[in-house]
Structure formats: C-alpha cells, structure tokens
Amino acid sequence: MLDWLQRKISRRQGLAKAGQLGVFGAIGAAAGIVGPAGNAKGGRARASETGGHNTLHSGANRTVGRVDHKRNGFDPHVILTDWERGEVSIDASGKRVRSFDIVAIDTEIEIAPGLFFPAWTYNGRVPGPTLRAQEGEHIRLRFRNSGSHAHSMHFHGIHGASMDGITGAGMVKPGAEFTYEFTAEPFGCHLYHCHAIPLKRHIHKGLYGAFIIDPNPDKHPEQRDAALSRQLGSDENARWQEMVMVMNGFDTNFDDENEVYATNSIAFAYMLDPIVIERDRPVRIYLVNVTEFDPINSFHLHANFFNYFDHGTTLEPTLRTVDTVMLCQAQRGILEFSFAGFEPGQYMFHAHQTEFAELGWMSFFEVQS
Ligand SMILES: [Cu+2]
C-alpha cells in the first residue's frame, strides 16, 4: 500500500478508536457528526463507517451540540471583525507610535462540542488578537509571558535581527517580558507566531495570529482609491464587509496529525451559524494559513469567484477570477468578491481537501438581499 494512503487510513482508524475510548469527542460521541441524511450518529461510528464517503456538498456534515464560547472567552463570529488597533500616540520626534500589549497564557479551549484542547494562547484566544496597524507607523509591542514555557512573537514583516522573536532575539522566559519595536511594513496581510523550539509544537498549540498593515493612501497616490478602501476607518473602507480567517488545525491526541480543522479554531462554527453577508456590499477576507503538520490548506468559494492579493502586498490583484487558492503554512492573502445581484441564500466555502472539510473546515455565507 502506498505510504500516504496507509497514513491516512491510520488517522481515520485512530479517530474511531479514540472516539470509542472517549479520549476526544469532536468527531466522537460527545460531538457526533450528523450524516447526510441528517440522522445523528455517534461520530465514532461515523468516522469508521463512512470511510470518508460523506456527502459533503449536501451540507449536512457537522457536529452536534454547541461550543461554549463564553467559557472559551472568545467567539469565532466576533473574531471575524475584532481588530486590535492598540493605542496610538505621537512621540517627541513626531513619530506615530502604535502600542500593543500581549500576554501569553496557557488556556484550555473547546474547539468542537465537548472536545477540549490544552492551548497556549496570546491574550487567551486562538488565534491571537488580529493586530491592525497602518503602513509606516512605529509598532511598540509589550509581550509578557505568563505561560509555562518560553515563548516569543515572531512577526512576518520587516524588522531588525534583534526584534525577530527567535532564540536570543526576544525569546521570553515564563514570568519575563520583552518589547518588540519595528516599523509597520510592508502593507499587507501578515501573521505573527511563537518561534520557540520545537517550533511545530509551539505554533500548533495556538500561538499565532493575523497582523494586518493597512496601506497608507498618501504613499500610493496612483492607487489612492484602492489604498483608501483598505484603510480601516475610512468611508471607502466602510463599504466593505471585511473579516479575518485564520485556517488552523488541532492535533488532539498529539500524534503529529490534526484531528480537527477550522477557520478561527472552532470546527463547523460558520456552518452551524452562517456568516451573514449583505448581498450588495463587497466582501474582503484577510486569509492566513497556520495549519501545522499538513503541507497545505486551501480556501474554496462556491458559486462565485474572487480576486486574490498574494500576501496583500499589492493594490492590484495577483490572481483574478479564481474560486480556489492553496496556501502553505504562513502563506496568506486577501480575497475580494461580491454577491451583488446573486440569489439570496447559503453559499458554502471550505477547504478543498475533502478530509479537512469533513473534520471541521466547512462554512457558509448567508447572503441576504
Ligand atoms: Cu511558544
């Protein structure tokens, strides 16, 4: 048997077994999947019975029960538009400074009904706060480590070696703190994550978040309108329905493979409660892939096409009229599309790795006229 196929089957068998043992329940008894016919079955049975032949596009695959977002301390629907803008001040030299405060905390989070994951978090949530700044500002970020292991914040952006968030450059022991300082550049859709060793464990435990730098319209006179539309707070920007989606996965039994996939952490969250879209206003998604263990993740939109801005670092699309993009870990970009004139209803979007979709990364837009 091919190696990859053997591994895939092993993961599914592992899922079924773990469900029977009650080790975790996302796809198990505590949170069984409802099959295509809508009959609730224990997911442990489901995972082995179906052999991966669920009718995804019937839209019926989902978890049973509800995640307690209050207990988690974050809600995936709030995360979509929860921009952390920090505090802005002007320093003695006239420089515009944007300050953030982040603390690393160990927190148990519920990622699917009845399934708890011992996360390491920034500010108690996974993904961490969506930091949003403007191109050219001076960023001053105070990072305190209240977790049980050494952590850091490594930014995908432009900065000096001493601010890189690697060992010897802003690695922070438990109980200690460090202030990262750099200029917000280049504009785009970026991310930050812990860079402690072993890297895959520190990232996968939940230490990551989106870092959005809005273009400064004054620096882009030729594309001023496009820049303004991306500048949070402008009239041009207010037309848009913006949201952030961080594609992630969770290895619930620590075998270096994910058992649950999502955008913004909670399996099937946007399937159970679709994201409401006003039909005639354009949509912009800041998309980041931080999925550990799997080489790629993807985003596929049903019944529509979008323009894509790779890394968000251009004001012209780098891909036009596509309905699927593929991203390796840390790759990100901006999607722009519109449902103007479309028939109102539920429009699906999901990873086009079918297995990821079945294990939680499956969602709906509810387009309303
Ligand atoms: Cu870490």
Side-chain angles (χ1 to χ4, degrees), residues 29-308:
I33 285 185
V34 174
N39 56 320
K41 282 188 173 187
R44 55 186 149 180
R46 203 72 223 136
S48 53
E49 277 172 13
T50 61
H53 295 120
N54 294 333
T55 312
L56 271 182
H57 293 258
S58 73
N61 246 47
R62 58 181 173 83
T63 46
V64 172
R66 290 275 167 175
V67 165
D68 187 342
H69 303 302
K70 269 214 175 89
R71 183 176 48 205
N72 271 350
F74 62 91
D75 184 317
H77 286 80
V78 175
I79 279 181
L80 286 172
T81 56
D82 186 12
W83 319 116
E84 175 54 65
R85 306 178 74 179
E87 300 265 324
V88 175
S89 60
I90 307 295
D91 75 3
S93 66
K95 202 164 52 181
R96 197 176 150 91
V97 178
R98 195 175 288 270
S99 306
F100 297 99
D101 235 310
I102 302 284
V103 58
I105 317 165
D106 297 358
T107 319
E108 189 177 67
I109 61 170
E110 189 181 11
I111 53 171
L115 175 59
F116 293 86
F117 179 78
W120 296 341
T121 72
Y122 292 120
N123 287 7
R125 42 170 278 181
V126 181
T130 302
L131 307 181
R132 195 150 174 179
Q134 183 168 277
E135 179 185 11
E137 289 175 335
H138 182 82
I139 303 294
R140 181 171 294 145
L141 189 145
R142 180 186 179 209
F143 173 57
R144 288 173 291 144
N145 185 359
S146 294
S148 52
H149 293 68
H151 297 306
S152 72
M153 294 184 74
H154 164 71
F155 283 82
H156 284 235
I158 296 172
H159 49 251
S162 62
M163 294 292 149
D164 202 34
I166 59 170
T167 303
M171 188 60 63
V172 183
K173 288 183 177 148
E177 67 173 76
F178 185 85
T179 299
Y180 301 95
E181 301 211 37
F182 50 86
T183 303
E185 59 184 346
F187 73 81
C189 174
H190 307 307
L191 73 153
Y192 61 89
H193 60 83
C194 178
H195 214 294
I197 305 296
L199 190 56
K200 67 178 176 182
R201 188 53 70 192
H202 282 252
I203 291 180
H204 153 261
K205 287 279 270 182
L207 289 168
Y208 47 76
F211 174 43
I212 298 169
I213 302 177
D214 294 343
N216 180 345
D218 295 340
K219 296 188 178 195
H220 309 280
E222 250 107 86
Q223 295 166 294
R224 189 173 172 79
D225 289 349
L228 271 172
S229 94
R230 296 234 314 244
Q231 188 186 39
L232 187 64
S234 71
D235 291 344
E236 290 82 354
N237 178 264
R239 288 176 51 233
W240 289 79
Q241 302 174 88
E242 290 195 331
M243 57 196 87
V244 68
M245 294 189 186
V246 177
M247 302 191 287
N248 52 1
F250 295 91
D251 171 15
T252 55
N253 57 357
F254 300 95
D255 64 350
D256 286 1
E257 292 195 11
N258 295 308
E259 279 73 45
V260 172
Y261 295 87
T263 46
N264 299 337
S265 302
I266 312 300
F268 298 112
Y270 307 126
M271 183 143 185
L272 290 166
D273 297 304
I275 298 169
V276 174
I277 296 289
E278 286 179 46
R279 186 184 68 173
D280 296 324
R281 288 174 56 209
V283 180
R284 177 179 290 134
I285 297 175
Y286 295 92
L287 182 71
V288 179
N289 177 27
V290 294
T291 312
E292 192 55 79
F293 307 123
D294 295 283
I296 57 160
N297 205 326
S298 62
F299 182 107
H300 166 57
L301 176 63
H302 278 217
N304 203 346
F305 282 72
F306 53 85
N307 283 344
Y308 188 70

